Amino acid sequence: MGQFGKILKFELKNYFTNKVFVGVTVFLAVAIAVVMFFPRIMEGFQKEEGSTVTDTSRPVMLIAGENAEAVSQAFSEAFTNYEVKMADGNMEAVKEQIIAGEVECAFVMESLTAYTYYVNNLSMYDSNTVIADEVLQSIYRMSAMIEGGISAEEAGAILSVQMEHETMKLGKDQMENFFYTYIMIFALYMVILLYGQMVATNVATEKSSRAMEVLITSAKPASMMFGKVLASCLAGFIQLVVVFGTALICYNFNKAYLDETGVIASMFNMPIDLFVYMLIFFVLGFLIYAFMFGAVGSTASKLEDINTSVMPITMLFVVGFMVVMFSMTAGNVDTILMKVCSFIPFTSPMAMFTRIAMTTVPFYEIVISIILLIASVIGIGLLSAKIYRVGVLLYGTPPKLGAIIKAIRKA
Amino acid sequence: MRLELRDITKSFGDKQVLKGISLAAEGGKAFGLLGRNGAGKTTSIRILMNVFPANSGEILFDGAPMDYSKVQFGYLPEERGLYPKKKIIDQLVYFAELKGMRHSDAVKSVDYWLERLGMSEYRSKRLDTLSKGNQQKIQLVTALAHNPQIVILDEPFSGLDPVNAMLLKDVVKEEIAKGKIVLFSSHQMNYIEEFCDSIAIINGGEVVLTGDLHDIKRNYPRNRLVVRSEQQEAIRKEFADKCTVEEDGALLITLTSSEEKQSVMKHLTDRYDIDEIKVFEPSLNDIFVEYAGQQE
C-alpha cells in the first residue's frame, strides 16, 4: 500500500482542492436541483396567478376557402392548442399575417379533400397536416356513409370503433429501460473523455514542469500510474454520486410534481441487478480508458501535444459510442455489430450494458464480457505503467508507437 | 559505505550510450562525475537510481548488490522543477513521504531544512511565486529531507548567488561530514576541485579517467615550475625558449627532467627576488579539457 496510498491521497486532494473541479460539481448539482424543482415552482406561480391563464396566448390558425365554416368547427375541436379562426381577408392578407407572425399557420381549402397548408417556418415536428388529413378524412367518410343511407349515429359508431389489446412482455421493456441506459451511456461518455483528458494533462504537466525528474526517482512507475488513475476514478465517482445523489433527493422531494410523464420515474426505478451491472461496467470502462490516457500523456512533452496524442483513443471511444447510440435509437441492440462490440474491452462497457438493459442476454455472455474486461484493465494498466516509465523521460517530439513498443521491450 | 559501479552498459535503440562505466565512491567523501554534455552522466545516474535497468554490469553497495528497498537516494536533478502551483510545505512533505517517511517525521524534517536554508518564510507560499534561486533551494530539500545515504547533486551551484552558493557549500560539507556518499556532477570545475576527493571523467560513454584527484594531479610530469617575480624580464632572458608567460602573468619554466627542479629552484631564489615559486600542477579544468576534449 505505502507509496501507492500516498500518491492516491495526494492526487485525490488535488482534485478536491481544484476550484474548477469543485465549481463544476456544485454547478451540476445546482442545475439538476433547479430542473427537478422546476415543475413545482411553476405550479406555485400558476396558483398565484389563479386560473386566468388566457386563451389569447394560443397561436392563431386561419381557415379559408371552400367549406371554411364547417372545417373550422371541426378543426377547433381537433387542434386544441390553436385558436382556430375564419380568415376574413384575401389570400395576400393571410400570407402577410403569417409572415408578420400574427398568425402561425393557415389552411386554404380547395375542396373537402384538398387544401394548401401555409406556414412561415416549417418545424421538424409539425404534424398539423397529419391531424388535418385525419379530420378531413373522417368528415368525408361520414358524409359518404350518410349519403349511402347509413344513419349518422351508426356511421359515428363505425368510425369510432376501438380495438382492445394487451401486451405481455416476456423479456425487457425497451421503452422503460431506454432512458437510464441512455443516461448511463452518456454519463460514461462524458466522464471518460473529461477525466481521461485530465489524467493525460496531469501526467504531461508533471513532465513539462520537470517534477517528473524527482518523482520517477522517488516512486515506482506502477504506483504512480495506478495511484493517479484510481484517484481520478474515485474523484469522478464522487462527482457522479454528488450529482445523481442530488437528483435522487430532489426527485423524492418533488415526486408528486414529476410523476406525470413517467419518464423521470422510470429513470429512478432502476432494478438493482441492472444498477450493479452499471457500476461494474462504469468502473471498468473508466479504468481501461484512464490508463490509456495516462500512458499517452506520458509520451507528450508539451501540454499542447496532448490533444493530438489522445486523438486515436478518443476516436476509438467515439466510434464505440456511436455504434451503441445508433443501435439504441434504432431500437435493435441485437445486431452482430453490437454483439461483437459487447466483447471487445474498449466498447463492451457501453455495448454490453446496453444489451443487458434493453434485451435478454445469456448470463454466460455477461460473465465472459466482464472477465475479458477485467483482464484487459489489468493488462492495459501494467502496460501503461511501462509506457509511462519509458515515456516520462523522453523529451522532444512525441515518439511513434513503434518506437515506444521497442523501448518497452528493451527496458 | 562504498558504492561501486562495475562495467555498466546501456543502449537506447541502436545507440550505445554507456560502454562500460566503472567507478567507486566512498562514504564521507564527495565524488565528482564529470563529462561533456551528452557524455552519459545523467544516464549513469538514472541507472544508479534504478529508474531503468542497465543492459549489463553490476551496482554494488558495500560489496553486495544494491538493495533499493534499503538504500535511500537523494537527487537534485539538473532539470529542476516541482509542482509550480502547489504550496511548498505540501509538496515537500509529499516527496519525503514517497521516500518512505512517516507524515509527522516528514513535516519535522522539511521544517528543519527550510529553516537551515533560510526559507521558512516561504513555507506556505506557492512554488511559482519564488525566484529561480529560491526554487532551487526548495528543490534541494527534496534531495535531503529524507536523510538519504547517497546524495546525488547535478549542477547544484548553477543559478545560485554567491551567498547562497556559500550556504550550499556548508550544507554539502555537513552531509559529507555525516559520512554520506555525495555524488557531484558539474561543469563548474572550481567547485569539484574544492569538494571532491575522487573524480571520474566520462567521455562518449566510457570512463576515460578516474581516481583520487590529488594522485591524478601528482601523476602529471613534475618538470614545470611556476614563477612570479619583479624581475621577470631577467628570468625570461636567462631561460629563453624554455620559458613561456601564462595568461595570469606568471612565468612557466619547462625543465628537461623533474630531477633538475630542486637545483633550478635554488638557483632562482638565490639569484632573483622571487615572490612565488612552485611545481606546476594542472588544474582540473586542464585535465578535463585534455581527457574530455578529444574525440566525439
Side-chain angles (χ1 to χ4, degrees):
Chain A
M1 193 63 188
Q3 226 171 37
F4 166 75
K6 279 165 192 162
I7 294 166
L8 184 67
K9 201 177 123 200
F10 183 79
E11 296 290 338
L12 257 187
K13 206 178 152 198
N14 274 355
Y15 280 105
F16 295 133
T17 52
N18 183 330
K19 283 179 197 123
V20 176
F21 178 83
V22 174
V24 167
T25 312
V26 170
F27 173 79
L28 283 177
V30 169
I32 285 255
V34 167
V35 168
M36 290 298 207
F37 273 94
F38 198 68
R40 182 178 227 179
I41 295 165
M42 283 317 286
E43 198 153 316
F45 273 125
Q46 278 167 3
K47 267 182 199 148
E48 268 171 37
E49 285 172 22
S51 57
T52 55
V53 183
T54 50
D55 286 355
T56 50
S57 60
R58 293 187 302 174
V60 178
M61 175 188 282
L62 291 183
I63 313 292
E66 297 276 314
N67 300 314
E69 204 168 334
V71 171
S72 73
Q73 209 168 6
F75 274 20
S76 57
E77 277 168 34
F79 293 101
T80 47
N81 293 334
Y82 286 92
E83 190 186 345
V84 183
K85 276 191 197 162
M86 299 269 290
D88 44 6
N90 58 2
M91 271 319 297
E92 289 311 307
V94 170
K95 283 184 194 168
E96 272 168 32
Q97 277 176 297
I98 291 174
I99 291 165
E102 295 161 24
V103 170
E104 191 173 291
C105 57
F107 285 91
V108 177
M109 311 302 298
E110 276 124 44
S111 70
L112 253 184
T113 52
Y115 63 86
T116 311
Y117 177 59
Y118 289 93
V119 66
N120 191 9
N121 296 318
L122 184 60
S123 152
M124 266 170 43
Y125 304 105
D126 193 331
S127 57
N128 285 350
T129 54
V130 177
I131 298 171
D133 286 356
E134 264 173 37
V135 172
L136 291 174
Q137 245 169 20
S138 65
I139 292 176
Y140 178 79
R141 282 180 189 147
M142 192 82 159
S143 59
M145 275 190 267
I146 291 168
E147 264 174 43
I150 299 167
S151 75
E153 288 80 34
E154 276 177 308
I158 292 169
L159 283 174
S160 61
V161 67
Q162 287 286 328
M163 306 300 154
E164 279 177 26
H165 77 273
E166 208 177 326
T167 310
M168 293 299 294
K169 58 169 184 190
L170 301 174
K172 300 276 170 63
D173 183 343
Q174 291 203 341
M175 233 4 242
E176 199 177 272
N177 291 0
F178 184 83
F179 290 102
Y180 51 68
T181 311
Y182 193 91
I183 287 178
M184 140 83 186
I185 300 294
F186 216 81
L188 188 62
Y189 176 79
M190 295 282 290
V191 167
I192 283 182
L193 285 189
L194 214 77
Y195 280 84
Q197 208 40 265
M198 276 201 227
V199 171
T201 312
N202 182 313
V203 173
T205 310
E206 278 175 1
K207 200 179 159 187
S208 69
S209 77
R210 307 282 161 144
M212 195 56 84
E213 299 271 337
V214 178
L215 281 172
I216 198 77
T217 55
S218 307
K220 289 196 189 72
S223 306
M224 301 268 306
M225 195 66 178
F226 281 76
K228 267 182 205 305
V229 165
L230 286 179
S232 76
C233 184
L234 276 176
F237 205 73
I238 290 168
Q239 192 170 41
L240 284 182
V241 166
V242 169
V243 171
F244 284 105
T246 312
L248 191 63
I249 292 167
C250 293
Y251 167 71
N252 282 324
F253 199 66
N254 296 310
K255 224 172 192 169
Y257 300 89
L258 290 166
D259 256 358
E260 284 166 32
T261 51
V263 172
I264 296 173
S266 84
M267 277 188 252
F268 289 103
N269 297 334
M270 189 188 281
I272 188 74
D273 58 335
L274 205 54
F275 183 72
V276 172
Y277 281 131
M278 187 181 91
L279 281 186
I280 293 173
F281 282 110
F282 204 107
V283 169
L284 292 176
F286 184 97
L287 288 178
I288 201 166
Y289 276 96
F291 279 128
M292 289 198 288
F293 273 108
V296 166
S298 73
T299 63
S301 45
K302 286 185 299 232
L303 279 177
E304 301 91 277
D305 295 340
I306 287 271
N307 287 329
T308 41
S309 303
V310 298
M311 195 75 122
I313 302 174
T314 314
M315 287 303 286
L316 178 68
F317 184 63
V318 169
V319 167
F321 176 75
M322 293 298 227
V323 167
V324 172
M325 274 294 169
F326 281 130
S327 307
M328 256 180 94
T329 43
N332 186 5
V333 293
D334 275 331
T335 54
I336 295 289
L337 186 61
M338 276 295 276
K339 280 183 182 166
V340 170
C341 282
S342 60
F343 290 104
I344 299 171
F346 303 116
T347 49
S348 66
M350 290 183 289
M352 191 45 115
F353 177 76
T354 307
R355 285 183 63 211
I356 294 171
M358 295 184 67
T359 72
T360 310
V361 186
F363 186 66
Y364 75 90
E365 283 192 19
I366 300 176
V367 173
I368 291 173
S369 174
I370 291 179
I371 289 174
L372 279 177
L373 191 53
I374 291 175
S376 313
V377 166
I378 295 169
I380 297 258
L382 293 175
L383 184 70
S384 71
K386 280 195 171 180
I387 293 178
Y388 180 85
R389 191 178 67 178
V390 175
V392 290
L393 294 171
L394 296 174
Y395 293 101
T397 51
K400 297 211 168 57
L401 194 65
I404 297 177
I405 293 168
K406 225 188 235 171
I408 293 166
R409 278 219 201 108
K410 289 241 167 83
Chain B
M1 273 193 293
R2 184 178 161 84
L3 172 71
E4 213 179 329
L5 269 65
R6 273 195 201 156
D7 214 16
I8 302 286
T9 64
K10 178 76 187 173
S11 303
F12 292 118
D14 302 327
K15 199 177 163 221
Q16 195 172 16
V17 182
L18 301 183
K19 302 170 185 164
I21 298 285
S22 299
L23 50 88
E26 297 279 341
K29 284 180 180 172
F31 188 92
L33 199 57
L34 310 179
R36 293 174 60 185
N37 307 323
K41 296 187 302 276
T42 306
T43 306
S44 304
I45 291 172
R46 283 179 179 160
I47 287 172
L48 172 61
M49 297 188 69
N50 202 24
V51 173
F52 40 68
N55 296 129
S56 68
E58 289 180 292
I59 299 170
L60 304 176
F61 188 74
D62 285 339
M66 175 78 79
D67 181 353
Y68 287 98
S69 61
K70 293 207 180 107
V71 181
Q72 290 272 11
F73 288 86
Y75 179 41
L76 177 73
E78 185 180 5
E79 297 274 9
R80 319 258 201 260
L82 297 170
Y83 294 107
K85 308 273 176 210
K86 290 225 159 303
K87 261 203 236 167
I88 283 167
I89 180 73
D90 289 350
Q91 50 180 316
L92 288 180
V93 168
Y94 172 57
F95 282 115
E97 282 183 330
L98 280 184
K99 303 255 173 55
M101 284 186 107
R102 286 217 316 268
H103 183 80
S104 54
D105 295 341
V107 174
K108 222 182 280 173
S109 175
V110 166
D111 275 332
Y112 163 78
W113 280 107
L114 286 177
E115 175 75 47
R116 177 72 185 85
L117 297 173
M119 300 298 288
S120 292
E121 57 177 306
Y122 302 108
R123 193 177 185 273
S124 7
K125 292 238 161 66
R126 267 173 35 170
L127 183 70
D128 59 1
T129 61
L130 270 60
S131 71
K132 193 167 168 259
N134 281 341
Q135 289 191 22
Q136 182 162 335
K137 289 206 290 188
I138 294 300
Q139 183 137 23
L140 187 66
V141 178
T142 64
L144 299 173
H146 56 294
N147 196 23
Q149 290 107 310
I150 301 174
V151 180
I152 301 170
L153 305 172
D154 203 341
E155 288 293 356
F157 292 98
S158 74
L160 291 183
D161 65 48
V163 178
N164 277 327
M166 199 71 156
L167 182 63
L168 178 58
K169 269 192 222 171
D170 291 342
V171 169
V172 170
K173 278 177 187 156
E174 283 167 28
E175 292 297 299
I176 295 170
K178 281 180 198 163
K180 297 183 178 184
I181 296 173
V182 179
L183 238 61
F184 260 110
S185 171
S186 180
H187 293 130
Q188 284 166 289
M189 300 298 163
N190 51 332
Y191 287 114
I192 299 276
E193 263 185 310
E194 187 173 339
F195 284 113
C196 296
D197 305 294
S198 307
I199 58 155
I201 297 177
I202 298 178
N203 194 24
E206 285 173 295
V207 176
V208 288
L209 180 70
T210 184
D212 186 280
L213 188 54
H214 288 285
D215 293 345
I216 290 172
K217 284 185 178 177
R218 289 189 67 83
N219 280 342
Y220 271 79
R222 303 181 70 76
N223 63 343
R224 281 175 290 183
L225 296 176
V226 182
V227 181
R228 282 179 197 279
S229 166
E230 291 296 311
Q231 296 162 287
Q232 276 209 10
E233 286 310 306
I235 302 173
R236 272 185 77 179
K237 264 183 202 143
E238 186 184 337
F239 288 88
D241 53 344
K242 283 185 184 167
C243 183
T244 53
V245 182
E246 288 287 88
E247 274 171 29
D248 61 358
L251 286 177
L252 188 67
I253 300 166
T254 309
L255 310 173
T256 39
S257 88
S258 55
E259 272 107 65
E260 275 186 281
K261 70 176 187 262
Q262 228 172 340
S263 57
V264 175
M265 272 168 137
K266 195 168 183 321
H267 167 78
L268 282 169
T269 44
D270 287 346
R271 188 129 173 231
Y272 302 101
D273 176 16
I274 299 292
D275 295 336
E276 182 187 355
I277 187 163
K278 64 175 180 188
V279 178
F280 173 82
E281 276 191 347
S283 69
L284 186 55
N285 208 51
D286 300 327
I287 299 171
F288 182 80
V289 172
E290 184 184 336
Y291 280 91
Q294 331 123 354
Q295 15 149 342
E296 287 187 303

